Amino acid sequence: MTFGGKTETASVDSYSNLIYGTGDDNKNTVLAKIDYQFYINKNKRLKRFSTEKQFLKLFTKQERELKKYIDEYKVNFGSVEQVVKLCNYAFSKEDK
């Protein structure tokens, strides 16, 4: 605390990167993008998908309805949360 003087605060922008490496700056790699591979258990088999097209191939009977859901909710296959919601929706429609 200062007496009779001004106190100033600084605003600092913080940027961080996830860096893998050995400690040698020339060999470090910056993680720029994560590509997800999703797996679901369908018909007692583990099925893999990472894109909208691959997902829709797994649910051919509901393809039109799921495509509508994907477009309406703007599902991003880079978002785990959004894909989980999509899968839950697809399985709920499969039971009917």
Side-chain angles (χ1 to χ4, degrees):
M1 178 181 257
T2 60
F3 295 99
K6 288 185 176 180
T7 302
E8 295 184 21
T9 58
S11 174
V12 178
D13 290 328
S14 176
Y15 301 95
S16 63
N17 291 322
L18 180 59
I19 299 176
Y20 294 101
T22 60
D24 180 358
D25 288 339
N26 295 327
K27 295 181 182 178
N28 287 343
T29 304
V30 176
L31 179 62
K33 183 180 177 192
I34 297 173
D35 290 322
Y36 292 104
Q37 294 292 316
F38 299 101
Y39 295 86
I40 58 174
N41 190 356
K42 185 159 170 57
N43 300 326
K44 298 182 182 180
R45 300 195 67 171
L46 205 55
K47 302 288 185 169
R48 179 177 64 111
F49 67 94
S50 59
T51 65
E52 175 183 334
K53 185 177 178 179
Q54 292 169 344
F55 176 80
L56 292 173
K57 277 185 166 184
L58 300 175
F59 294 92
T60 54
K61 291 180 183 176
Q62 303 101 302
E63 183 175 356
R64 224 179 254 162
E65 189 174 0
L66 294 174
K67 175 69 173 139
K68 183 179 174 183
Y69 179 96
I70 290 168
D71 292 343
E72 184 177 332
Y73 291 98
K74 297 175 179 51
V75 176
N76 174 1
F77 282 78
S79 167
V80 174
E81 182 181 341
Q82 289 181 18
V83 173
V84 167
K85 287 179 182 178
L86 172 63
C87 289
N88 287 335
Y89 179 79
F91 281 120
S92 74
K93 296 300 177 184
E94 191 175 53
D95 296 336
K96 293 179 180 180

